[in-house]
Amino acid sequence: TYSQWECFGGLSLLTGNKRETTVQTLTHVVLLCLSVNVYTKIKNKIAEEHYKDKFLFINNISFLKNLDAITKFKLTNGLTTCKFKPNECIFKEGETASSIYFVKEGLVSCRSKRKEIRKLQTQSCFGESGMLLNNKRALDVYALKPTTCYQISNDILNEVLGSNFINVILFSIFTVQIKQNPFFK
């Protein structure tokens, strides 16, 4: 039995399967209905906006700007969204480095033996040094406030950039640093 503002039929809508039960009214009822077509349009629009947001984010990361559009497209598809609560540990020193993180919004603290080394905000990248240091994390990283990060795994980086993805990332980082250096300008 369903009462006011409860919904039914959602599983069929999500899975595309046929309905398994019959629903009959017991009293006078007014229903609000969401058709498969409208649901699909809404879902696709949200997915498109989310993808555009990720792609624009990737385009604004300094060391990824040098990559071609197809590579950026592939990296965008490989991004995972992670949400962290205040004081939540993102990773600890010594753990295996299996991904890179980008701060979408929020604030993170990078610490060594409880001493804060630096804070990172929007569009900052962290976790890449772990791949350069024998695949071990060099610092503890905690969210200081509600934080959303994009995460990309080593597997995706390897798939998109090739087995020498570390060299590609290092080259991109060095290129950005050289462009920012007044002597080389």
Side-chain angles (χ1 to χ4, degrees):
T1 304
Y2 295 98
S3 58
Q4 187 175 10
W5 298 113
E6 289 187 299
C7 64
F8 56 90
L11 187 58
S12 295
L13 188 63
L14 293 172
T15 63
N17 294 333
K18 293 184 178 182
R19 303 213 187 270
E20 296 181 3
T21 57
T22 301
V23 178
Q24 293 181 323
T25 62
L26 300 175
T27 63
H28 176 73
V29 176
V30 176
L31 294 174
L32 299 175
C33 179
L34 180 63
S35 71
V36 172
N37 292 338
V38 171
Y39 170 76
T40 302
K41 285 179 184 177
I42 292 169
K43 185 178 78 167
N44 290 343
K45 182 71 174 167
I46 291 170
E48 180 183 329
E49 292 299 319
H50 192 61
Y51 178 82
K52 284 180 184 176
D53 185 44
K54 284 181 176 181
F55 190 81
L56 289 172
F57 187 87
I58 286 286
N59 268 334
N60 289 320
I61 300 295
S62 59
F63 75 89
L64 298 177
K65 284 183 179 182
N66 297 325
L67 300 175
D68 61 83
I70 293 171
T71 303
K72 289 178 190 175
F73 172 79
K74 290 177 181 177
L75 287 175
T76 300
N77 284 332
L79 288 178
T80 304
T81 304
C82 305
K83 295 186 182 270
F84 301 98
K85 297 174 187 164
N87 300 314
E88 184 175 353
C89 179
I90 298 172
F91 59 74
K92 290 220 165 257
E93 181 179 352
E95 290 180 353
T96 301
S98 59
S99 57
I100 296 176
Y101 294 84
F102 303 95
V103 181
K104 181 181 186 297
E105 57 190 18
L107 183 66
V108 300
S109 171
C110 302
R111 306 172 186 171
S112 178
K113 302 200 183 357
R114 298 186 188 206
K115 180 184 176 196
E116 186 168 81
I117 305 299
R118 66 180 181 266
K119 290 181 182 176
L120 301 172
Q121 297 181 31
T122 302
Q123 294 187 338
S124 296
C125 175
F126 62 97
E128 76 284 1
S129 63
M131 293 182 300
L132 306 173
L133 301 170
N134 301 324
N135 290 329
K136 297 291 181 195
R137 299 291 188 197
L139 299 170
D140 297 332
V141 178
Y142 286 85
L144 294 177
K145 61 183 188 179
T147 300
T148 302
C149 293
Y150 289 135
Q151 175 189 30
I152 191 156
S153 71
N154 291 0
D155 293 337
I156 297 293
L157 289 168
N158 188 30
E159 182 181 313
V160 173
L161 300 175
S163 59
N164 65 343
F165 69 87
I166 293 173
N167 293 338
V168 173
I169 291 171
L170 282 174
F171 178 77
S172 294
I173 291 170
F174 290 143
T175 302
V176 169
Q177 295 301 317
I178 287 171
K179 286 180 180 178
Q180 291 176 350
N181 185 308
F183 177 75
F184 290 108
K185 280 185 177 178

